Amino acid sequence: IIVLFTQFSCEKILEIDPLESSIDEEEALQTKSDMQEFLNSAYEVTANANNGRIQGLGELLSDNLVRPNNNNDLTEVFIHNVLIFNETTAGVYKDPYIGIFRANRILEYLDEKDFGYSPSELNTVKGECHFLRGFLHFQEVTLWAQPWGYTAANTHPGVIYKLSSTVEPQARPSVAEVYDLIIQDLQSAIDELPFQNGIYATKYAAQALLAKV
């Protein structure tokens, strides 16, 4: 009797309806609030990419540090011989493009659908996306391409500049072309962003980044 009771109880415990793990993009992005959450996620991945990993790899490529002795991934960066199995560099390369994808997808949705934004709100969201896209591409090109001035006209290969969320192979544009696109994005951000925007990107932030570029 005890055995039968135990088996019956376990069966009941295990009879749990599976939770829905995902929803369609169209269903998820219905309101202005949904779009803000999506924009927040672009900021989040930008912050995660800048949690010290991008800065650390930049330092390892300089002559400011001694050779690491406790991390093979970082040692490969230090000696300029990174293998395809290096998970650290793979993550640092990938994460900014996730933020870029999200910024591009928001811009596409804003062109496709009316979320009830006022003209000034719409400009602000677009400006934030242009700021994030320019910022993240700037980080990619400074870390994954030879620096500005490596060739006389900066015709050496840059990084893929994603202007849409479409996933397809692309040829690497030159570093000069990448910088031109970054500048275009930041100039758009300066035109669109307000001077005050809470904790989010502002006109001042875009101007400062453009000056750095």
Side-chain angles (χ1 to χ4, degrees):
I1 294 173
I2 295 176
V3 172
L4 290 174
F5 178 77
T6 303
Q7 289 176 341
F8 176 78
S9 299
C10 289
E11 286 180 1
K12 286 295 183 183
I13 292 173
L14 294 174
E15 288 177 2
I16 301 173
D17 293 331
L19 298 174
E20 187 172 345
S21 60
S22 63
I23 57 177
D24 292 336
E25 184 180 86
E26 292 284 348
E27 184 180 351
L29 300 175
Q30 293 288 331
T31 67
K32 186 162 60 173
S33 177
D34 295 335
M35 291 296 286
Q36 184 60 53
E37 291 294 332
F38 195 19
L39 180 58
N40 287 347
S41 76
Y43 277 103
E44 180 184 27
V45 73
T46 301
N48 290 338
N50 286 273
N51 65 356
R53 291 178 298 154
I54 285 178
Q55 299 91 327
L57 293 190
E59 287 296 321
L60 283 168
L61 291 169
S62 71
D63 57 1
N64 294 327
L65 301 174
V66 297
R67 177 177 177 142
N69 60 6
N70 61 346
N71 187 305
N72 290 334
D73 283 5
L74 300 184
T75 298
E76 289 177 8
V77 177
F78 183 82
I79 64 175
H80 294 208
N81 186 27
V82 177
L83 304 179
I84 61 173
F85 306 105
N86 191 309
E87 294 182 0
T88 300
T89 55
V92 173
Y93 177 79
K94 177 186 70 177
D95 285 352
Y97 276 112
I98 295 174
I100 291 165
F101 172 87
R102 293 175 183 176
N104 281 328
R105 198 69 192 102
I106 292 169
L107 289 170
E108 290 163 356
Y109 260 95
L110 294 177
D111 288 337
E112 297 167 1
K113 187 174 179 179
D114 181 10
F115 290 93
Y117 287 106
S118 68
S120 62
E121 289 174 332
L122 186 61
N123 270 344
T124 297
V125 174
K126 287 183 176 180
E128 291 179 64
C129 291
H130 286 133
F131 172 83
L132 289 171
R133 190 168 71 183
F135 175 57
L136 292 169
H137 278 111
F138 180 57
Q139 291 186 308
E140 293 282 43
V141 75
T142 53
L143 193 56
W144 302 107
Q146 294 291 350
W148 182 273
Y150 182 74
T151 56
N154 295 295
T155 54
H156 52 289
V159 295
I160 301 301
Y161 206 98
K162 297 292 294 183
L163 294 171
S164 76
S165 64
T166 304
V167 179
E168 59 185 4
Q170 293 179 229
R172 291 172 65 181
S174 69
V175 164
E177 291 172 310
V178 173
Y179 270 83
D180 285 343
L181 291 168
I182 292 169
I183 290 169
Q184 288 177 29
D185 267 338
L186 295 181
Q187 288 174 334
S188 294
I190 290 170
D191 292 338
E192 295 160 338
L193 287 169
F195 286 106
Q196 301 294 330
N197 193 25
I199 62 173
Y200 299 99
T202 65
K203 190 182 298 287
Y204 291 126
Q207 289 172 332
L209 182 56
L210 180 59
K212 182 177 178 64
V213 172

